[in-house]
Amino acid sequence: MGVVEGAIIYANLLVLLAIGLTLTYITTAVPNFAQGSFAIFGSYIALTLLRLSGIHPYTALPIAFILGGMLGLATYILVLRPLIKKDSTIVTLMIATLAWDLILLGIIGAYSEFLGKITRKAGVKFIFTYLDYEIAGISAIFLVSTVVIAVTLAGLFLLLYKTKFGIALRASMENPSLAEIMGVNVEYTRMFSWFLSGALAAMAGCLLPFKQEIVPATGALIIVSIFAASIVGGLSSIYGALLGGYIIGLSESLITYELSVVLGTGVLVYSKVVSLVILIITLLVAPRGIVGINWKKVMKWLSSTRS
């Protein structure tokens, strides 16, 4: 797998995770620290189906989508909704997602040990690269991840702009109080956004082992990149998640690789530093993310400096 190809694959998966994080933030204003564990939940769904039923991870994508969606929905109904009804602060809700993330980490860790015992194969640490194959000289994971992204974006566009529910969903995102007055069931839109967030994360997690080795704590590592992608693009915009996902995904992979050529492979361990540096620079220059920049003013300023 070439360096650029691997970078695009990683960026594709990061976009899925960032879109999910952004959806839940827009509808409930909660930064979901469990998004990384949602992805690893999907990874272990794929591993379980492979070990117990011989189902290839690519074939397992629809199952991961449904089960991941159920996890996202359960997170909202069991953890967040009771707190929202009590008028809990955003900080309290954020801490609740962090606590939920730690609970999921414990559950996934225990399950990985159990799966390893009943299958007599490694469950705590695994990778799917040996299952991949090529189509016309291109790795299947590159094609599959790209198709998944294309289908997801097309589906979101049709949902948000071509259906009545999508209009209601956008209304509840922009102004929940006004949408409720207009008859929109804001609760349903929140439940749907959490379902979709979990579903997209689980699909990304299903494909992630083709890119890197997975352990139960991998979610705690990738959450850095997920937040960086969402914030750099613009945490309140789905388009921002798309843009930020590719910026962070490609930068993290390609810059780290170039640094490893000069400084040695030990640099690869610190790939998340690239994401954090880009995040800090973005917050200093454009606190609302790239989509929040007034590009007309920027262009006028550039024109004035040239003249």
Side-chain angles (χ1 to χ4, degrees):
M1 186 186 296
V3 176
V4 175
E5 184 179 320
I8 294 173
I9 292 167
Y10 178 63
N12 285 340
L13 302 182
L14 195 55
V15 166
L16 284 176
L17 292 163
I19 287 174
L21 179 69
T22 299
L23 275 172
T24 53
Y25 178 78
I26 291 173
T27 53
T28 55
V30 182
N32 180 23
F33 281 88
Q35 190 75 359
S37 289
F38 284 5
I40 305 310
F41 175 76
S43 300
Y44 275 94
I45 289 172
L47 181 65
T48 301
L49 293 172
L50 176 66
R51 294 279 169 79
L52 299 183
S53 304
I55 298 175
H56 195 279
Y58 293 152
T59 310
L61 281 170
I63 301 173
F65 181 90
I66 295 170
L67 294 180
M70 291 174 65
L71 175 62
L73 184 59
T75 300
Y76 174 71
I77 293 175
L78 299 177
V79 180
L80 296 174
R81 186 165 68 178
L83 293 173
I84 291 173
K85 287 183 176 179
K86 293 180 179 179
D87 295 324
S88 298
T89 64
I90 297 300
V91 173
T92 300
L93 295 172
M94 181 179 67
I95 293 173
T97 66
L98 180 59
W100 181 238
D101 178 54
L102 294 174
I103 292 170
L104 289 176
L105 173 60
I107 293 172
I108 292 172
Y111 177 75
S112 67
E113 296 280 358
F114 171 74
L115 184 64
K117 287 182 180 179
I118 63 173
T119 61
R120 297 183 180 180
K121 295 181 180 179
V124 175
K125 185 185 294 184
F126 65 96
I127 197 166
F128 287 160
T129 49
Y130 68 95
L131 293 171
D132 206 19
Y133 48 87
E134 290 189 351
I135 301 173
I138 304 174
S139 65
I141 181 59
F142 179 84
L143 296 174
V144 171
S145 63
T146 303
V147 168
V148 168
I149 274 292
V151 171
T152 299
L153 293 177
L156 279 173
F157 176 79
L158 292 174
L159 172 69
L160 293 174
Y161 294 97
K162 302 297 181 180
T163 66
K164 289 183 178 180
F165 181 77
I167 294 171
L169 183 61
R170 284 192 292 126
S172 64
M173 288 178 178
E174 293 172 7
N175 194 325
S177 301
L178 181 59
E180 207 158 19
I181 293 172
M182 297 297 292
V184 175
N185 192 321
V186 175
E187 185 66 18
Y188 284 168
T189 61
R190 286 175 177 171
M191 291 169 64
F192 176 79
S193 67
W194 278 90
F195 175 90
L196 191 56
S197 177
L200 295 179
M203 281 204 304
C206 198
L207 299 176
L208 193 60
F210 287 96
K211 180 69 174 61
Q212 67 180 69
E213 193 173 61
I214 299 296
V215 297
T218 300
L221 296 175
I222 63 173
I223 192 65
V224 174
S225 301
I226 298 170
F227 266 100
S230 294
I231 294 171
V232 167
L235 194 53
S236 298
S237 169
I238 294 176
Y239 300 110
L242 173 65
L243 184 61
Y246 281 113
I247 289 173
I248 294 297
L250 293 174
S251 299
E252 189 177 305
S253 299
L254 298 177
I255 293 175
T256 305
Y257 172 76
E258 292 299 329
L259 289 174
S260 71
V261 172
V262 178
L263 303 175
T265 55
V267 175
L268 297 173
V269 180
Y270 304 101
S271 61
K272 303 303 176 189
V273 174
V274 174
S275 300
L276 291 173
V277 170
I278 295 173
L279 172 62
I280 291 171
I281 293 172
T282 303
L283 288 174
L284 291 173
V285 177
R288 294 183 181 180
I290 293 173
V291 296
I293 297 174
N294 189 329
W295 290 105
K296 289 183 179 180
K297 286 186 177 180
V298 173
M299 295 305 294
K300 285 183 179 178
W301 179 79
L302 288 173
S303 299
S304 63
T305 55
R306 287 175 184 173
S307 58

